[in-house]
Every structure is written in C-alpha cells, then in structure tokens.
Amino acid sequence: MPRWKALPEELDPQVREFASQLRRLVDRSGLSVAAVADRTGYSKTSWERYLGGRLLAPKAAVLALAEVTGTNAVHLTTMWELAERAWSRSEQRHDRTMEDIRVARAKAALGEFGPPRAPGDTRAQSPSAGLTAKRSPRQQAPPPRGGPPVGAGDRRRRIVMFLAGVVGALLVITAAVLLTDLGGSDDKPRAKPSPSPSSSAPVLPAGVKCAGASCTGQDPEAMGCTDKLVTTVAGAKVGVSVVEVRYSKTCGAAWARLKQVTPGDRLQISAGSATGESVVADAYRDTYTKMLAVDGPAAAKACATLKSGKHGCAAKTAATGQ
C-alpha cells in the first residue's frame, strides 16, 4: 500500500475530500501508481499530481479509474463536479492574490526612491551630510598648520567665488546647447533610447518556465502554466462533448480543452489571425492543445470538430455550436 504524503493545507475541503477518495480507491485496488497509470492511459506523473492534490484529475481520468477499480462512476462523478467548482473558485482567488503581489512589488519598487523633498528643503540626500551636521565644534577639522584661521569674511568670499564659477559653467553649457540646436537640422530623426531588457522582463512564479510569446507551441503542464494558475474562461457544448478555453494570466497564454472525447475528434485554439496546431484525440479522455500567446482571455477561441461531423467554438465573448 503506498504511503501518501500529506495533502497541501491550502486545499479546499471539497478538493481535499475528492483527492482522499481517489487515494482510498487506489489503496483498495492494491495497484501501484504506475499500474494505475498503465491501465488508465494517463502518465504516472499526472496521477502523482492528482493523488497529491497538486492538480485536479480530469473527468475522463476519474471515469477510467472507476472502471479499473470497479467503482460506481455516478457517485465518483458527483464528487468530481463538486471538486471542480471548488478548484475554479480557488483559481480565481489565486489570480487575485497574484495581482495583489504584483501591485505590492510595484509600490515597493517606487518606494525605494524615497518621498519627494518639500519646497525649500536644501538638505543633502547623501548619508554623509547628516554626519557632518551632527559634529560638535571639537570634531571639526582644525585649520592647516602654518596659516591663520579662516575668518567669516574669507568663507563668504569663497562661497561667492564658487557660486560665480557655477553660474559661469551653466552659461557656457547653455550657449553650447543653443548653438548645437541652431546649427542642426530639425528634419533629421533622433534616435530613441532603447529600453532596458531587464526592465521589461516578467517576474515568474517558481515552476513557471515561459510567459507570452515564449509559451506558444509549448505544453501547458510541462511549462508549469496549469495547477492553480489556469482558469476556464469560456465553454460550449458540441454534441455530447464540451469545448473550453483555458487561460493562464501568469503565462499570458491560452489553450483548448475537449471533454467527453471520442477518438477522431479534432481540437484547435486560435486568437485573431494566429492559429495553433490542431490536435486529434486518440483515446476516450480529455484532450488538450498546445498553448498560444494571447493579449487576454477574450482574445482566445477554442473550436472542436467531432468525428460525427458536429462543429462548435467557445470564446469569452460568445459561444456557438451546431
């Protein structure tokens, strides 16, 4: 009998109960996880995630497990539907949490520059300025040996000479800038500074391996875009099947999923003029496409053409089927 690790504490009670039920079925069957994977057609890695509470098992996998273990599929399907609703609510909460984290990071980054100085505040910004102001008269540097002490009049003259030098330097710089502008041509395009690559690089959560365009053509599970990072944003019924748009805000990509599959059914994801590679189902289990980078959940559309000839699409703004 396998020794299961403790389920994640943050799991919803419905999801926890469903994962525990799957574990009990595997325990009663006496099968190992590898044997369950071999008999259901789903990989061992996937079953480890299902049984470990890190990923909700698709309905087709649950039905396959019920058949392998001789369990009543009706009761198990009811538990799965309750768990899926709870999982979707958890995904939405996670998306809001990730958004709050990004906002907090942005505020923290802006706070590194410190509050703006009030008008008339001439205090120096460097840490050494405060040290100079706090020195006692005994800590001031002594005048150089061999010369008379510097009086107040000498200090005033030096300040005036310094200010005069600063003003003169500013006048020279201003004149040079004016002469350069007058001598140049306004018709010549000026080069724009290129943005720093590091400033636009997204900060990805642990385990996520792509974002945006780099996710196109990649497997969502292999790239870490599933688990609690994905949301079903649209769905439509096509015959006895259900086609859905799956969207990951963190990865900036979407993919299509088809439920109640018959071998030979075809599935495809698209966004505007961009179209992902179509996938043909080869077994009675949920079928997924590879990812396609999208600007948002409303840009993606998932279409399915069943082996029976029925066709339908799902999108966030509209859903059609025939």
Side-chain angles (χ1 to χ4, degrees), residues 13-188:
Q14 293 284 2
V15 180
R16 177 182 294 274
E17 175 60 25
F18 180 67
S20 300
Q21 179 64 25
L22 295 183
R23 290 182 172 187
R24 287 192 290 269
L25 292 179
V26 175
D27 288 341
R28 286 200 297 264
S29 69
L31 298 173
S32 65
V33 176
V36 170
D38 183 62
R39 298 190 183 189
T40 59
Y42 286 79
S43 67
K44 179 183 177 183
T45 301
S46 297
W47 274 113
E48 288 174 347
R49 293 185 177 184
Y50 304 154
L51 297 170
R54 290 179 291 143
L55 186 64
L56 181 66
K59 187 175 182 180
V62 174
L63 294 175
L65 180 63
E67 182 179 356
V68 169
T69 57
T71 306
N72 187 340
V74 176
H75 175 67
L76 197 59
T77 300
T78 301
M79 293 187 65
W80 175 84
E81 291 174 351
L82 295 174
E84 186 186 38
R85 295 194 191 101
W87 189 273
S88 298
R89 291 194 299 269
S90 178
E91 289 174 346
Q92 294 173 2
R93 289 194 299 270
H94 183 269
D95 288 342
R96 289 194 294 269
T97 301
M98 293 300 296
E99 185 68 22
D100 293 341
I101 291 174
R102 284 191 288 269
V103 171
R105 288 179 178 174
K107 289 182 178 179
L110 293 175
E112 292 178 357
F113 296 98
R117 286 187 293 171
D121 188 359
T122 59
R123 291 176 295 177
Q125 296 297 320
S126 62
S128 59
L131 296 177
T132 304
K134 294 180 180 179
R135 289 181 179 178
S136 64
R138 294 182 180 181
Q139 292 174 323
Q140 299 292 340
R145 296 182 179 180
V150 179
D154 291 338
R155 285 196 293 270
R156 283 195 294 272
R157 283 194 295 272
R158 291 183 179 180
I159 293 173
V160 171
M161 292 176 64
F162 172 76
L163 293 176
V166 171
V167 172
L170 290 175
L171 291 175
V172 172
I173 294 173
T174 303
V177 171
L178 292 175
L179 290 174
T180 302
D181 290 341
L182 292 175
S185 173
D186 293 337
D187 296 334
K188 295 181 179 179

Side-chain angles (χ1 to χ4, degrees), residues 124-296:
Q125 296 297 320
S126 62
S128 59
L131 296 177
T132 304
K134 294 180 180 179
R135 289 181 179 178
S136 64
R138 294 182 180 181
Q139 292 174 323
Q140 299 292 340
R145 296 182 179 180
V150 179
D154 291 338
R155 285 196 293 270
R156 283 195 294 272
R157 283 194 295 272
R158 291 183 179 180
I159 293 173
V160 171
M161 292 176 64
F162 172 76
L163 293 176
V166 171
V167 172
L170 290 175
L171 291 175
V172 172
I173 294 173
T174 303
V177 171
L178 292 175
L179 290 174
T180 302
D181 290 341
L182 292 175
S185 173
D186 293 337
D187 296 334
K188 295 181 179 179
R190 297 183 180 181
K192 296 182 180 179
S194 58
S196 172
S198 59
S199 63
S200 60
V203 179
L204 300 178
V208 178
K209 302 177 183 178
C210 70
S214 62
C215 289
T216 297
Q218 300 292 338
D219 182 270
E221 184 174 343
M223 292 293 104
C225 296
T226 55
D227 292 348
K228 295 185 178 180
L229 302 179
V230 62
T231 305
T232 300
V233 297
K237 198 167 183 63
V238 185
V240 297
S241 302
V242 177
V243 61
E244 296 177 339
V245 175
R246 301 281 282 170
Y247 171 72
S248 171
K249 184 177 180 180
T250 302
C251 296
W255 59 96
R257 177 171 73 177
L258 186 63
K259 298 180 178 180
Q260 306 297 334
V261 180
T262 299
D265 292 347
R266 184 178 296 274
L267 183 64
Q268 193 169 44
I269 185 73
S270 63
S273 59
T275 303
E277 183 179 354
S278 62
V279 175
V280 179
D282 58 357
Y284 292 93
R285 62 187 179 192
D286 290 2
T287 300
Y288 301 80
T289 66
K290 298 296 179 64
M291 290 188 288
L292 184 65
V294 295
D295 294 332

